[in-house]
Amino acid sequence: MRKVLPAALLQGERRGRGLRRRSAEDGRGAGLHVRRFAAGVAALAIGMSFAVPASADDLDDQRDRVAQGLTAAQQKLDADTKSLANASAALKSSQTELATARTQLADTQRQLAQAEADDKTAARRLAQAQNDLEAAKAAVAEGERQVAAQRLEVGNVVRTQYQQRSNMVGIGMVVTGTDTGDISNRVQWSQMMMAVTQTELEKLEETQAKLVAAQQRQAKIEEQMAAERTAAAANLTNRQKLAAQAVQQEQTVALLVQQNSSAELTASQQLEASQNHAKALTAEQQDVEARILDRMRRQQEEDARRAETERLNREAREKTDAAQERANQAQSQRGGTDVPAAAPQGSGGSAQGTSASSGSPFIKPVAGPVTSRYGMRLHPVLKVWKLHDGTDYGAACNTPLRAAADGVVTERYYNAGYGNRLMIDHGRLDGRYLTTGYNHATHYTVRVGERVKQGDVVGYVGTTGYSTGCHLHLMVWSNGKVTNPQTVGF
């Protein structure tokens, strides 16, 4: 509302004081001066009550100048919001992948460590088998040598026995006499020689058996060594595969850690941006409250001036009536004609307010259901826990918005969060200074300073600003502070 120049009010007060000082003068002249002063004050009061802000066009021009930039900023904020959601999803996904990759890497490293341990064990077994093989080979060689030596010994015995036996037979046949005792001796000697031969043969068999056992042990050790070498080769291949797999998984983990850090940074930056935007909305809200409080103060000052004006008018009327009465009495005493008394004048002020009613002073501004009430909630766009500072009414785009009560349009502009905004001051209703705010509209049909009646169409439902669909976000300020619309009857 436009302020009235203090000089004008000061001039009116001085005129009133001068009038009071001259009240003892001629009644007719005093009445004339009072009537002129009352008319001037009444005109001044009328001027004050219909004064409109000079900022209406300025606000529209400002909105028009920044609309394009704000639209671009809104698009960027929307993109940033989507980026925040994507970053959060990427962060969660990368954390899951990182945990899985680390588990796989740990399992691979465990398998690799086991393979390396198995490889060392196999190497020890192979070395022992190699030692056993060398011993077995030495035993086989010794057995072959002993067998060869025993065979030679058996051959010598047999040859000796054969030669001796052959000689004895020849001698016995040549010698003339052969008695029974000689024959017995020869038989015993022959049996002894056969026993010696049998013993040597048994030694040979035993030595050959040892040789066969040594050969079998050698073959078994060689077979075991072949199996150990095959297992060691397979284990080496597996170990090399696990080592390569571990390197690849380590690289994957490192990449996921980098991606995870990047996702965390992006999410952090987006969260900071959203928090900063929330702070900006809070600052906007505080600024709006400050402006409403300033209008309240000016309204209170205007009410005080109006009350002072009415008091002065009342005093002026009383003095006019008194002067007129004195003039009538003087005329009557001079024997003149009666002068009719001046008709009582009505109040020069203009009463404002709403008619008394048993219900709410407000009507529902749009036809549509309540979709979200006042209170703390998770913001559907910003994804942060914050106060929902109004009541949302679901309605199709371009549904008419109506003034909730009589009042004066005090603000109309664009905000990145609230979109197109309109505020109507309703003055004092039910003992409180109330203001309603209409947000997210496609556009408004009234201008700053325009007086509206309850039910007048002031705009149309839209989805401008931070909005997920067409709706009205209705706000209420009580004595300059944002409040739950339900507390005032919505």
Side-chain angles (χ1 to χ4, degrees):
M1 303 285 295
R2 177 181 296 169
K3 289 185 178 180
V4 179
L5 293 177
L9 184 58
L10 181 59
Q11 181 180 359
E13 291 176 348
R14 288 173 177 172
R15 183 180 301 172
R17 287 196 296 270
L19 180 61
R20 286 192 294 271
R21 285 195 302 267
R22 293 191 299 270
S23 62
E25 297 178 355
D26 178 73
R28 185 176 300 176
L32 178 61
H33 284 292
V34 170
R35 284 192 295 272
R36 288 177 178 176
F37 171 70
V41 172
L44 180 61
I46 293 173
M48 287 191 297
S49 64
F50 288 96
V52 297
S55 59
D57 293 335
D58 292 340
L59 287 174
D60 287 336
D61 292 342
Q62 181 182 4
R63 194 282 307 275
D64 293 339
R65 285 195 302 270
V66 301
Q68 185 175 2
L70 288 173
T71 301
Q74 170 65 25
Q75 292 173 350
K76 184 178 184 303
L77 285 171
D78 291 341
D80 289 343
T81 301
K82 293 178 181 178
S83 298
L84 173 57
N86 293 336
S88 299
L91 174 58
K92 185 176 181 180
S93 175
S94 66
Q95 287 173 337
T96 302
E97 292 177 1
L98 179 58
T100 302
R102 281 176 171 162
T103 301
Q104 292 175 347
L105 175 58
D107 185 61
T108 300
Q109 290 174 335
R110 182 188 58 77
Q111 293 180 30
L112 180 57
Q114 183 62 44
E116 291 174 347
D118 292 344
D119 188 55
K120 292 179 181 179
T121 301
R124 288 195 298 271
R125 289 200 303 266
L126 192 59
Q128 182 63 41
Q130 185 66 38
N131 294 334
D132 293 344
L133 179 60
E134 295 298 329
K137 286 181 178 180
V140 168
E142 179 62 21
E144 289 176 346
R145 186 189 65 77
Q146 290 179 359
V147 167
Q150 190 64 35
R151 282 177 178 174
L152 179 62
E153 183 65 25
V154 171
N156 290 335
V157 169
V158 171
R159 280 191 301 272
T160 300
Q161 182 183 359
Y162 177 75
Q163 290 174 356
Q164 290 178 354
R165 185 176 181 183
S166 298
N167 292 335
M168 291 298 293
V169 171
I171 293 172
M173 293 177 66
V174 173
V175 176
T176 55
T178 302
D179 54 18
T180 306
D182 291 336
I183 294 173
S184 177
N185 290 335
R186 288 197 294 269
V187 170
Q188 290 178 357
W189 184 82
S190 175
Q191 289 177 349
M192 182 185 67
M193 294 298 294
M194 290 297 294
V196 171
T197 303
Q198 182 64 35
T199 300
E200 294 299 329
L201 286 174
E202 289 176 356
K203 288 183 179 179
L204 175 60
E205 290 178 356
E206 182 180 354
T207 303
Q208 286 179 332
K210 291 180 179 179
L211 174 60
V212 171
Q215 289 173 338
Q216 290 176 348
R217 177 172 173 75
Q218 177 182 346
K220 184 176 181 180
I221 291 174
E222 287 177 345
E223 182 180 353
Q224 179 183 353
M225 288 185 64
E228 292 286 352
R229 287 192 181 96
T230 301
N235 188 65
L236 176 62
T237 301
N238 184 51
R239 184 161 57 89
Q240 292 173 342
K241 178 182 177 181
L242 289 173
Q245 182 177 340
V247 171
Q248 182 179 2
Q249 289 175 342
E250 286 175 352
Q251 294 174 347
T252 300
V253 168
L255 178 61
L256 287 174
V257 168
Q258 181 180 0
Q259 292 176 346
N260 188 63
S261 299
S262 177
E264 286 180 340
L265 178 61
T266 301
S268 175
Q269 291 173 341
Q270 295 300 331
L271 178 59
E272 182 180 1
S274 295
Q275 290 174 340
N276 289 337
H277 181 72
K279 290 179 181 178
L281 291 179
T282 301
E284 161 75 6
Q285 184 62 36
Q286 292 173 347
D287 189 50
V288 168
E289 290 182 352
R291 294 199 298 270
I292 293 176
L293 286 171
D294 182 62
R295 291 199 297 270
M296 278 182 56
R297 179 185 56 78
R298 287 184 281 134
Q299 182 65 47
Q300 290 170 351
E301 293 175 353
E302 181 179 345
D303 292 343
R305 288 194 297 269
R306 182 178 293 108
E308 177 65 15
T309 299
E310 291 177 352
R311 186 185 65 80
L312 293 175
N313 285 341
R314 186 172 58 254
E315 291 179 354
R317 287 195 304 272
E318 291 173 353
K319 291 180 180 179
T320 300
D321 293 341
Q324 186 65 44
E325 180 63 25
R326 288 194 298 273
N328 291 340
Q329 291 177 357
Q331 182 69 26
S332 176
Q333 291 174 358
R334 290 194 297 268
T337 59
D338 292 338
V339 178
Q345 297 182 4
S347 172
S350 57
Q352 289 185 335
T354 59
S355 59
S357 65
S358 59
S360 168
F362 295 109
I363 64 169
K364 190 175 178 181
V366 66
V370 173
T371 57
S372 183
R373 295 194 179 277
Y374 180 95
M376 297 299 295
R377 70 170 185 177
L378 183 66
H379 196 283
V381 177
L382 297 177
K383 302 302 181 184
V384 294
W385 191 257
K386 67 183 295 289
L387 175 67
H388 182 235
D389 55 10
T391 298
D392 287 348
Y393 292 92
C397 284
N398 296 315
T399 300
L401 294 173
R402 301 183 182 277
D406 296 354
V408 177
V409 178
T410 51
E411 297 192 28
R412 192 185 88 176
Y413 61 95
Y414 184 91
N415 174 268
Y418 294 102
N420 290 321
R421 309 193 78 184
L422 182 78
M423 296 180 196
I424 301 176
D425 281 0
H426 304 286
R428 284 196 172 277
L429 295 176
D430 293 341
R432 292 175 289 185
Y433 185 92
L434 296 175
T435 298
T436 53
Y438 311 77
N439 302 281
H440 304 303
T442 58
H443 65 285
Y444 296 105
T445 58
V446 291
R447 302 177 68 83
V448 172
E450 186 173 340
R451 290 185 176 276
V452 295
K453 293 292 185 181
Q454 187 178 65
D456 286 352
V457 174
V458 296
Y460 294 91
V461 171
T463 183
T464 55
Y466 263 36
S467 169
T468 57
C470 288
H471 72 289
L472 165 65
H473 177 71
L474 176 72
M475 297 177 65
V476 175
W477 289 264
S478 175
N479 294 328
K481 296 296 181 180
V482 68
T483 189
N484 185 347
Q486 284 185 290
T487 63
V488 296
F490 282 102

